[in-house]
């Protein structure tokens, strides 16, 4: 077996083991293969291994990689996990299946307008800046309720939350906070946990774990 498919098999087994330990159903924990900055042959190895859910953080790079491949793999699911500029909303709505990085009212309005135009109504996750880091994307926990309220008022389909913990903080604190905020708002999906910390995210309620280097190796 090649390295990528071996990694996927190992990570799925590990996810299943942790899910069983914390009495969760492994089927509700989805592995998002983060293919950003990875060579095409590794991505194709993941596709050959049956992986159909991928995350990309840049619209342009994702279009180059996936425009043709998505026609070859009809079950493909693409999540946008990087910041979205309003001038890229058209391409993003056309390409992706879930936008995980909704974080401001202006972007919500632009997404809604574009979804209507394309008649393509994507689920969105709101990215929460749980560490309230100045330079980081995501809505602050304080501003989250108003953003969610706005999304609901315009009919944008928000189904979950996403976070990237600060590098120097224990990630579990941030996963717990994300889940608390989401549950209070009636949301059921939590995109949290990356290669270094997904094992902590599963017991705290992750439904999407975003794994890049653990699957594909170091980015090039
Ligand atoms: C790059 C990236 C990941 C994957 O990171 P790894 O440490 O390689 O698993 C996950 N989420 C986001 C938002 C990313 O930008």
């Amino acid at each position: 077996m090649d390295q990528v498919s071996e990694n996927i098999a190992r990570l799925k087994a590990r996810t299943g083991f942790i899910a069983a330990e914390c009495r969760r159903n492994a089927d509700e924990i989805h592995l998002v293969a983060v293919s950003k900055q990875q060579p095409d042959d590794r991505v194709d190895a993941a596709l050959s291994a049956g992986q159909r859910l991928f995350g990309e953080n840049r619209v342009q790079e994702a279009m180059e990689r996936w425009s043709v491949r998505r026609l070859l793999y009809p079950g493909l699911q693409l999540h946008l996990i990087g910041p979205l500029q309003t001038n890229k909303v058209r391409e993003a709505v056309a390409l992706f299946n879930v936008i995980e990085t909704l974080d401001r009212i202006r972007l919500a309005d632009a997404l809604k307008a574009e979804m209507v135009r394309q008649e393509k109504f994507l689920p969105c996750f709101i990215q929460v800046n749980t560490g309230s880091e100045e330079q980081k994307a995501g809505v602050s926990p304080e501003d989250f309720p108003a953003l969610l309220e706005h999304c609901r008022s315009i009919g944008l389909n928000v189904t979950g939350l996403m976070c990237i913990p600060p590098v120097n903080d224990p990630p579990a604190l941030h996963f717990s906070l994300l889940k608390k905020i989401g549950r209070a708002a009636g949301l059921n999906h939590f995109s949290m946990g990356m290669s270094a910390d997904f094992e902590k995210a599963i017991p705290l309620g992750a439904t999407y774990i975003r794994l890049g280097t653990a699957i594909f190796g170091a980015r090039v």
Side-chain angles (χ1 to χ4, degrees):
M1 236 196 313
D2 69 87
Q3 192 62 58
V4 168
S5 59
E6 204 176 295
N7 290 342
I8 291 173
R10 193 191 64 249
L11 290 159
K12 284 200 168 148
R14 186 75 191 135
T15 297
F17 178 81
I18 299 167
E21 267 190 322
C22 61
R23 299 177 186 280
R24 290 193 59 199
N25 182 350
D27 294 342
E28 60 186 43
I29 302 158
H30 307 281
L31 194 163
V32 181
V34 178
S35 44
K36 67 176 188 198
Q37 296 165 55
Q38 293 289 351
D40 282 343
D41 62 329
R42 295 185 198 163
V43 176
D44 289 329
L47 286 163
S48 298
Q51 179 68 27
R52 290 294 180 270
L53 173 55
F54 292 84
E56 290 280 355
N57 73 332
R58 300 188 131 178
V59 176
Q60 186 59 40
E61 187 191 339
M63 288 196 328
E64 284 160 23
R65 164 161 294 137
W66 292 108
S67 300
V68 174
R69 282 186 179 81
R70 72 202 254 264
L71 305 176
L72 294 170
Y73 298 93
L76 198 75
Q77 291 281 316
L78 295 178
H79 285 211
L80 178 64
I81 61 170
L84 179 56
Q85 307 302 321
T86 47
N87 64 3
K88 288 281 169 56
V89 158
R90 183 150 301 181
E91 288 90 341
V93 169
L95 182 66
F96 288 98
N97 300 94
V98 175
I99 307 293
E100 293 201 12
T101 49
L102 172 56
D103 64 356
R104 58 200 190 276
I105 284 175
R106 213 166 88 80
L107 180 58
D109 290 340
L111 280 167
K112 173 66 187 189
E114 190 54 36
M115 288 180 194
V116 169
R117 209 186 69 86
Q118 296 188 26
E119 293 184 52
K120 191 176 176 216
F121 298 94
L122 307 179
C124 297
F125 298 171
I126 290 179
Q127 182 178 354
V128 182
N129 184 356
T130 53
S132 299
E133 293 174 284
E134 195 120 309
Q135 71 293 359
K136 197 171 247 166
V139 64
S140 68
E142 294 73 38
D143 292 339
F144 166 76
L147 176 59
L148 180 65
E149 169 73 27
H150 180 81
C151 293
R152 286 177 170 163
S153 76
I154 61 171
L156 199 63
N157 185 21
V158 175
T159 58
L161 299 182
M162 179 270 217
C163 77
I164 307 169
V167 275
N168 294 320
D169 261 15
L173 287 177
H174 296 270
F175 300 153
S176 303
L177 177 59
L178 193 74
K179 178 148 175 214
K180 184 171 170 225
I181 292 171
R183 278 287 156 84
L187 299 170
N188 297 317
H189 282 294
F190 299 95
S191 173
M192 54 193 199
M194 316 198 331
S195 294
D197 54 21
F198 74 96
E199 301 202 355
K200 297 197 178 76
I202 293 170
L204 293 169
T207 60
Y208 290 87
I209 52 174
R210 308 181 307 266
L211 305 182
T213 49
I215 292 177
F216 297 109
R219 284 180 277 277
V220 296

PDB file of all heavy atoms in Angstrom, residues 78-106:
ATOM      1  N   LEU A  78     -15.970  19.172  -1.318  1.00  0.00           N
ATOM      2  CA  LEU A  78     -14.871  20.110  -1.075  1.00  0.00           C
ATOM      3  C   LEU A  78     -15.286  21.140  -0.035  1.00  0.00           C
ATOM      4  O   LEU A  78     -16.312  21.802  -0.182  1.00  0.00           O
ATOM      5  CB  LEU A  78     -14.486  20.824  -2.377  1.00  0.00           C
ATOM      6  CG  LEU A  78     -13.904  19.975  -3.497  1.00  0.00           C
ATOM      7  CD1 LEU A  78     -13.629  20.846  -4.720  1.00  0.00           C
ATOM      8  CD2 LEU A  78     -12.622  19.287  -3.052  1.00  0.00           C
ATOM      9  N   HIS A  79     -14.450  21.284   0.982  1.00  0.00           N
ATOM     10  CA  HIS A  79     -14.699  22.294   2.015  1.00  0.00           C
ATOM     11  C   HIS A  79     -13.688  23.422   1.873  1.00  0.00           C
ATOM     12  O   HIS A  79     -12.476  23.161   1.794  1.00  0.00           O
ATOM     13  CB  HIS A  79     -14.559  21.690   3.416  1.00  0.00           C
ATOM     14  CG  HIS A  79     -15.711  20.824   3.811  1.00  0.00           C
ATOM     15  ND1 HIS A  79     -16.126  20.703   5.119  1.00  0.00           N
ATOM     16  CD2 HIS A  79     -16.536  20.039   3.078  1.00  0.00           C
ATOM     17  CE1 HIS A  79     -17.164  19.884   5.173  1.00  0.00           C
ATOM     18  NE2 HIS A  79     -17.427  19.455   3.951  1.00  0.00           N
ATOM     19  N   LEU A  80     -14.172  24.646   1.896  1.00  0.00           N
ATOM     20  CA  LEU A  80     -13.250  25.784   1.965  1.00  0.00           C
ATOM     21  C   LEU A  80     -12.923  26.038   3.430  1.00  0.00           C
ATOM     22  O   LEU A  80     -13.812  26.299   4.243  1.00  0.00           O
ATOM     23  CB  LEU A  80     -13.866  27.041   1.344  1.00  0.00           C
ATOM     24  CG  LEU A  80     -12.955  28.274   1.427  1.00  0.00           C
ATOM     25  CD1 LEU A  80     -11.676  28.088   0.615  1.00  0.00           C
ATOM     26  CD2 LEU A  80     -13.682  29.541   0.979  1.00  0.00           C
ATOM     27  N   ILE A  81     -11.636  25.947   3.764  1.00  0.00           N
ATOM     28  CA  ILE A  81     -11.215  26.094   5.162  1.00  0.00           C
ATOM     29  C   ILE A  81     -10.300  27.298   5.366  1.00  0.00           C
ATOM     30  O   ILE A  81      -9.776  27.497   6.458  1.00  0.00           O
ATOM     31  CB  ILE A  81     -10.522  24.802   5.675  1.00  0.00           C
ATOM     32  CG1 ILE A  81      -9.262  24.506   4.847  1.00  0.00           C
ATOM     33  CG2 ILE A  81     -11.485  23.620   5.638  1.00  0.00           C
ATOM     34  CD1 ILE A  81      -8.402  23.392   5.448  1.00  0.00           C
ATOM     35  N   GLY A  82     -10.107  28.100   4.308  1.00  0.00           N
ATOM     36  CA  GLY A  82      -9.278  29.298   4.430  1.00  0.00           C
ATOM     37  C   GLY A  82     -10.118  30.551   4.251  1.00  0.00           C
ATOM     38  O   GLY A  82     -11.274  30.476   3.819  1.00  0.00           O
ATOM     39  N   PRO A  83      -9.540  31.709   4.565  1.00  0.00           N
ATOM     40  CA  PRO A  83     -10.269  32.976   4.491  1.00  0.00           C
ATOM     41  C   PRO A  83     -10.841  33.230   3.101  1.00  0.00           C
ATOM     42  O   PRO A  83     -10.192  32.918   2.099  1.00  0.00           O
ATOM     43  CB  PRO A  83      -9.206  34.033   4.816  1.00  0.00           C
ATOM     44  CG  PRO A  83      -8.044  33.300   5.378  1.00  0.00           C
ATOM     45  CD  PRO A  83      -8.134  31.874   4.943  1.00  0.00           C
ATOM     46  N   LEU A  84     -12.043  33.776   3.047  1.00  0.00           N
ATOM     47  CA  LEU A  84     -12.697  34.047   1.767  1.00  0.00           C
ATOM     48  C   LEU A  84     -12.887  35.551   1.591  1.00  0.00           C
ATOM     49  O   LEU A  84     -13.519  36.208   2.423  1.00  0.00           O
ATOM     50  CB  LEU A  84     -14.051  33.322   1.724  1.00  0.00           C
ATOM     51  CG  LEU A  84     -14.886  33.507   0.453  1.00  0.00           C
ATOM     52  CD1 LEU A  84     -14.129  33.097  -0.801  1.00  0.00           C
ATOM     53  CD2 LEU A  84     -16.195  32.712   0.565  1.00  0.00           C
ATOM     54  N   GLN A  85     -12.322  36.084   0.510  1.00  0.00           N
ATOM     55  CA  GLN A  85     -12.541  37.495   0.150  1.00  0.00           C
ATOM     56  C   GLN A  85     -13.839  37.590  -0.636  1.00  0.00           C
ATOM     57  O   GLN A  85     -14.160  36.686  -1.408  1.00  0.00           O
ATOM     58  CB  GLN A  85     -11.377  38.004  -0.713  1.00  0.00           C
ATOM     59  CG  GLN A  85      -9.989  37.787  -0.107  1.00  0.00           C
ATOM     60  CD  GLN A  85      -9.836  38.430   1.250  1.00  0.00           C
ATOM     61  OE1 GLN A  85     -10.333  39.517   1.481  1.00  0.00           O
ATOM     62  NE2 GLN A  85      -9.167  37.737   2.171  1.00  0.00           N
ATOM     63  N   THR A  86     -14.539  38.700  -0.485  1.00  0.00           N
ATOM     64  CA  THR A  86     -15.831  38.806  -1.178  1.00  0.00           C
ATOM     65  C   THR A  86     -15.669  38.768  -2.702  1.00  0.00           C
ATOM     66  O   THR A  86     -16.563  38.314  -3.396  1.00  0.00           O
ATOM     67  CB  THR A  86     -16.608  40.074  -0.756  1.00  0.00           C
ATOM     68  OG1 THR A  86     -15.718  41.175  -0.792  1.00  0.00           O
ATOM     69  CG2 THR A  86     -17.175  39.923   0.628  1.00  0.00           C
ATOM     70  N   ASN A  87     -14.507  39.187  -3.215  1.00  0.00           N
ATOM     71  CA  ASN A  87     -14.336  39.138  -4.676  1.00  0.00           C
ATOM     72  C   ASN A  87     -14.068  37.728  -5.211  1.00  0.00           C
ATOM     73  O   ASN A  87     -13.940  37.530  -6.414  1.00  0.00           O
ATOM     74  CB  ASN A  87     -13.249  40.122  -5.146  1.00  0.00           C
ATOM     75  CG  ASN A  87     -11.876  39.762  -4.616  1.00  0.00           C
ATOM     76  OD1 ASN A  87     -11.709  38.747  -3.932  1.00  0.00           O
ATOM     77  ND2 ASN A  87     -10.891  40.580  -4.900  1.00  0.00           N
ATOM     78  N   LYS A  88     -13.969  36.738  -4.300  1.00  0.00           N
ATOM     79  CA  LYS A  88     -13.782  35.342  -4.718  1.00  0.00           C
ATOM     80  C   LYS A  88     -15.027  34.488  -4.465  1.00  0.00           C
ATOM     81  O   LYS A  88     -15.014  33.266  -4.632  1.00  0.00           O
ATOM     82  CB  LYS A  88     -12.599  34.718  -3.953  1.00  0.00           C
ATOM     83  CG  LYS A  88     -11.240  35.234  -4.377  1.00  0.00           C
ATOM     84  CD  LYS A  88     -10.800  34.553  -5.679  1.00  0.00           C
ATOM     85  CE  LYS A  88      -9.573  35.201  -6.294  1.00  0.00           C
ATOM     86  NZ  LYS A  88      -8.428  35.260  -5.392  1.00  0.00           N
ATOM     87  N   VAL A  89     -16.100  35.142  -4.048  1.00  0.00           N
ATOM     88  CA  VAL A  89     -17.295  34.409  -3.646  1.00  0.00           C
ATOM     89  C   VAL A  89     -17.912  33.636  -4.816  1.00  0.00           C
ATOM     90  O   VAL A  89     -18.383  32.511  -4.656  1.00  0.00           O
ATOM     91  CB  VAL A  89     -18.300  35.393  -2.999  1.00  0.00           C
ATOM     92  CG1 VAL A  89     -19.710  34.858  -3.042  1.00  0.00           C
ATOM     93  CG2 VAL A  89     -17.891  35.675  -1.561  1.00  0.00           C
ATOM     94  N   ARG A  90     -17.863  34.227  -5.997  1.00  0.00           N
ATOM     95  CA  ARG A  90     -18.454  33.562  -7.163  1.00  0.00           C
ATOM     96  C   ARG A  90     -17.781  32.210  -7.423  1.00  0.00           C
ATOM     97  O   ARG A  90     -18.437  31.178  -7.543  1.00  0.00           O
ATOM     98  CB  ARG A  90     -18.313  34.463  -8.392  1.00  0.00           C
ATOM     99  CG  ARG A  90     -18.948  33.906  -9.647  1.00  0.00           C
ATOM    100  CD  ARG A  90     -19.436  34.998 -10.571  1.00  0.00           C
ATOM    101  NE  ARG A  90     -20.409  35.847  -9.892  1.00  0.00           N
ATOM    102  CZ  ARG A  90     -21.021  36.887 -10.467  1.00  0.00           C
ATOM    103  NH1 ARG A  90     -20.752  37.206 -11.710  1.00  0.00           N
ATOM    104  NH2 ARG A  90     -21.898  37.602  -9.788  1.00  0.00           N
ATOM    105  N   GLU A  91     -16.456  32.236  -7.483  1.00  0.00           N
ATOM    106  CA  GLU A  91     -15.703  30.997  -7.713  1.00  0.00           C
ATOM    107  C   GLU A  91     -15.907  30.003  -6.567  1.00  0.00           C
ATOM    108  O   GLU A  91     -16.027  28.806  -6.789  1.00  0.00           O
ATOM    109  CB  GLU A  91     -14.206  31.290  -7.859  1.00  0.00           C
ATOM    110  CG  GLU A  91     -13.814  31.984  -9.155  1.00  0.00           C
ATOM    111  CD  GLU A  91     -13.836  33.507  -9.042  1.00  0.00           C
ATOM    112  OE1 GLU A  91     -14.484  34.042  -8.103  1.00  0.00           O
ATOM    113  OE2 GLU A  91     -13.216  34.152  -9.896  1.00  0.00           O
ATOM    114  N   ALA A  92     -15.926  30.530  -5.345  1.00  0.00           N
ATOM    115  CA  ALA A  92     -16.049  29.647  -4.178  1.00  0.00           C
ATOM    116  C   ALA A  92     -17.396  28.917  -4.177  1.00  0.00           C
ATOM    117  O   ALA A  92     -17.461  27.708  -3.942  1.00  0.00           O
ATOM    118  CB  ALA A  92     -15.866  30.451  -2.887  1.00  0.00           C
ATOM    119  N   VAL A  93     -18.461  29.637  -4.453  1.00  0.00           N
ATOM    120  CA  VAL A  93     -19.785  29.005  -4.455  1.00  0.00           C
ATOM    121  C   VAL A  93     -19.875  27.964  -5.577  1.00  0.00           C
ATOM    122  O   VAL A  93     -20.467  26.905  -5.424  1.00  0.00           O
ATOM    123  CB  VAL A  93     -20.905  30.076  -4.582  1.00  0.00           C
ATOM    124  CG1 VAL A  93     -22.257  29.428  -4.858  1.00  0.00           C
ATOM    125  CG2 VAL A  93     -20.962  30.908  -3.312  1.00  0.00           C
ATOM    126  N   ALA A  94     -19.234  28.277  -6.710  1.00  0.00           N
ATOM    127  CA  ALA A  94     -19.279  27.347  -7.838  1.00  0.00           C
ATOM    128  C   ALA A  94     -18.529  26.049  -7.526  1.00  0.00           C
ATOM    129  O   ALA A  94     -18.944  24.971  -7.931  1.00  0.00           O
ATOM    130  CB  ALA A  94     -18.700  28.008  -9.085  1.00  0.00           C
ATOM    131  N   LEU A  95     -17.416  26.161  -6.788  1.00  0.00           N
ATOM    132  CA  LEU A  95     -16.543  24.998  -6.606  1.00  0.00           C
ATOM    133  C   LEU A  95     -16.842  24.180  -5.347  1.00  0.00           C
ATOM    134  O   LEU A  95     -16.828  22.953  -5.388  1.00  0.00           O
ATOM    135  CB  LEU A  95     -15.074  25.458  -6.551  1.00  0.00           C
ATOM    136  CG  LEU A  95     -14.031  24.348  -6.412  1.00  0.00           C
ATOM    137  CD1 LEU A  95     -14.009  23.471  -7.668  1.00  0.00           C
ATOM    138  CD2 LEU A  95     -12.646  24.931  -6.160  1.00  0.00           C
ATOM    139  N   PHE A  96     -17.088  24.863  -4.236  1.00  0.00           N
ATOM    140  CA  PHE A  96     -17.108  24.154  -2.947  1.00  0.00           C
ATOM    141  C   PHE A  96     -18.495  23.625  -2.590  1.00  0.00           C
ATOM    142  O   PHE A  96     -19.511  24.047  -3.147  1.00  0.00           O
ATOM    143  CB  PHE A  96     -16.599  25.081  -1.840  1.00  0.00           C
ATOM    144  CG  PHE A  96     -15.116  25.331  -1.924  1.00  0.00           C
ATOM    145  CD1 PHE A  96     -14.620  26.477  -2.530  1.00  0.00           C
ATOM    146  CD2 PHE A  96     -14.212  24.403  -1.425  1.00  0.00           C
ATOM    147  CE1 PHE A  96     -13.252  26.704  -2.638  1.00  0.00           C
ATOM    148  CE2 PHE A  96     -12.845  24.614  -1.532  1.00  0.00           C
ATOM    149  CZ  PHE A  96     -12.364  25.758  -2.127  1.00  0.00           C
ATOM    150  N   ASN A  97     -18.507  22.689  -1.633  1.00  0.00           N
ATOM    151  CA  ASN A  97     -19.754  22.137  -1.119  1.00  0.00           C
ATOM    152  C   ASN A  97     -20.105  22.704   0.247  1.00  0.00           C
ATOM    153  O   ASN A  97     -21.273  22.729   0.638  1.00  0.00           O
ATOM    154  CB  ASN A  97     -19.655  20.612  -1.004  1.00  0.00           C
ATOM    155  CG  ASN A  97     -19.369  19.980  -2.347  1.00  0.00           C
ATOM    156  OD1 ASN A  97     -18.212  19.732  -2.684  1.00  0.00           O
ATOM    157  ND2 ASN A  97     -20.404  19.761  -3.136  1.00  0.00           N
ATOM    158  N   VAL A  98     -19.086  23.090   1.008  1.00  0.00           N
ATOM    159  CA  VAL A  98     -19.304  23.701   2.317  1.00  0.00           C
ATOM    160  C   VAL A  98     -18.288  24.836   2.477  1.00  0.00           C
ATOM    161  O   VAL A  98     -17.109  24.664   2.156  1.00  0.00           O
ATOM    162  CB  VAL A  98     -19.105  22.676   3.473  1.00  0.00           C
ATOM    163  CG1 VAL A  98     -19.217  23.359   4.837  1.00  0.00           C
ATOM    164  CG2 VAL A  98     -20.113  21.533   3.381  1.00  0.00           C
ATOM    165  N   ILE A  99     -18.759  25.984   2.952  1.00  0.00           N
ATOM    166  CA  ILE A  99     -17.866  27.093   3.285  1.00  0.00           C
ATOM    167  C   ILE A  99     -17.704  27.085   4.805  1.00  0.00           C
ATOM    168  O   ILE A  99     -18.662  27.311   5.537  1.00  0.00           O
ATOM    169  CB  ILE A  99     -18.476  28.456   2.836  1.00  0.00           C
ATOM    170  CG1 ILE A  99     -18.876  28.435   1.358  1.00  0.00           C
ATOM    171  CG2 ILE A  99     -17.521  29.607   3.175  1.00  0.00           C
ATOM    172  CD1 ILE A  99     -17.754  28.330   0.368  1.00  0.00           C
ATOM    173  N   GLU A 100     -16.482  26.803   5.273  1.00  0.00           N
ATOM    174  CA  GLU A 100     -16.274  26.672   6.723  1.00  0.00           C
ATOM    175  C   GLU A 100     -15.831  27.975   7.380  1.00  0.00           C
ATOM    176  O   GLU A 100     -15.654  28.024   8.591  1.00  0.00           O
ATOM    177  CB  GLU A 100     -15.218  25.590   7.019  1.00  0.00           C
ATOM    178  CG  GLU A 100     -15.649  24.174   6.674  1.00  0.00           C
ATOM    179  CD  GLU A 100     -14.840  23.124   7.435  1.00  0.00           C
ATOM    180  OE1 GLU A 100     -14.108  23.483   8.388  1.00  0.00           O
ATOM    181  OE2 GLU A 100     -14.933  21.940   7.065  1.00  0.00           O
ATOM    182  N   THR A 101     -15.606  29.010   6.574  1.00  0.00           N
ATOM    183  CA  THR A 101     -14.914  30.183   7.107  1.00  0.00           C
ATOM    184  C   THR A 101     -15.736  31.471   7.019  1.00  0.00           C
ATOM    185  O   THR A 101     -15.189  32.552   6.852  1.00  0.00           O
ATOM    186  CB  THR A 101     -13.572  30.372   6.368  1.00  0.00           C
ATOM    187  OG1 THR A 101     -13.807  30.312   4.952  1.00  0.00           O
ATOM    188  CG2 THR A 101     -12.593  29.276   6.743  1.00  0.00           C
ATOM    189  N   LEU A 102     -17.036  31.330   7.160  1.00  0.00           N
ATOM    190  CA  LEU A 102     -17.900  32.512   7.217  1.00  0.00           C
ATOM    191  C   LEU A 102     -17.621  33.237   8.535  1.00  0.00           C
ATOM    192  O   LEU A 102     -17.687  32.621   9.611  1.00  0.00           O
ATOM    193  CB  LEU A 102     -19.359  32.053   7.138  1.00  0.00           C
ATOM    194  CG  LEU A 102     -20.440  33.108   7.361  1.00  0.00           C
ATOM    195  CD1 LEU A 102     -20.277  34.273   6.407  1.00  0.00           C
ATOM    196  CD2 LEU A 102     -21.802  32.466   7.211  1.00  0.00           C
ATOM    197  N   ASP A 103     -17.267  34.524   8.455  1.00  0.00           N
ATOM    198  CA  ASP A 103     -16.887  35.210   9.702  1.00  0.00           C
ATOM    199  C   ASP A 103     -17.310  36.683   9.784  1.00  0.00           C
ATOM    200  O   ASP A 103     -16.898  37.386  10.695  1.00  0.00           O
ATOM    201  CB  ASP A 103     -15.380  35.082   9.952  1.00  0.00           C
ATOM    202  CG  ASP A 103     -14.543  35.774   8.887  1.00  0.00           C
ATOM    203  OD1 ASP A 103     -15.115  36.290   7.903  1.00  0.00           O
ATOM    204  OD2 ASP A 103     -13.303  35.794   9.047  1.00  0.00           O
ATOM    205  N   ARG A 104     -18.105  37.137   8.804  1.00  0.00           N
ATOM    206  CA  ARG A 104     -18.539  38.536   8.893  1.00  0.00           C
ATOM    207  C   ARG A 104     -19.807  38.752   8.077  1.00  0.00           C
ATOM    208  O   ARG A 104     -20.090  38.000   7.137  1.00  0.00           O
ATOM    209  CB  ARG A 104     -17.420  39.482   8.445  1.00  0.00           C
ATOM    210  CG  ARG A 104     -16.936  39.220   7.029  1.00  0.00           C
ATOM    211  CD  ARG A 104     -15.536  39.806   6.798  1.00  0.00           C
ATOM    212  NE  ARG A 104     -15.189  39.742   5.378  1.00  0.00           N
ATOM    213  CZ  ARG A 104     -14.670  38.673   4.775  1.00  0.00           C
ATOM    214  NH1 ARG A 104     -14.446  37.562   5.469  1.00  0.00           N
ATOM    215  NH2 ARG A 104     -14.405  38.694   3.491  1.00  0.00           N
ATOM    216  N   ILE A 105     -20.516  39.801   8.445  1.00  0.00           N
ATOM    217  CA  ILE A 105     -21.829  40.073   7.852  1.00  0.00           C
ATOM    218  C   ILE A 105     -21.718  40.341   6.358  1.00  0.00           C
ATOM    219  O   ILE A 105     -22.507  39.833   5.561  1.00  0.00           O
ATOM    220  CB  ILE A 105     -22.510  41.235   8.615  1.00  0.00           C
ATOM    221  CG1 ILE A 105     -23.034  40.696   9.954  1.00  0.00           C
ATOM    222  CG2 ILE A 105     -23.640  41.853   7.787  1.00  0.00           C
ATOM    223  CD1 ILE A 105     -23.631  41.731  10.874  1.00  0.00           C
ATOM    224  N   ARG A 106     -20.720  41.121   5.972  1.00  0.00           N
ATOM    225  CA  ARG A 106     -20.564  41.446   4.555  1.00  0.00           C
ATOM    226  C   ARG A 106     -20.356  40.192   3.705  1.00  0.00           C
ATOM    227  O   ARG A 106     -20.867  40.080   2.590  1.00  0.00           O
ATOM    228  CB  ARG A 106     -19.366  42.396   4.388  1.00  0.00           C
ATOM    229  CG  ARG A 106     -19.535  43.391   3.259  1.00  0.00           C
ATOM    230  CD  ARG A 106     -18.482  44.485   3.401  1.00  0.00           C
ATOM    231  NE  ARG A 106     -17.233  44.122   2.719  1.00  0.00           N
ATOM    232  CZ  ARG A 106     -17.063  44.245   1.403  1.00  0.00           C
ATOM    233  NH1 ARG A 106     -18.027  44.715   0.636  1.00  0.00           N
ATOM    234  NH2 ARG A 106     -15.914  43.911   0.847  1.00  0.00           N
TER     235      ARG A 106
END
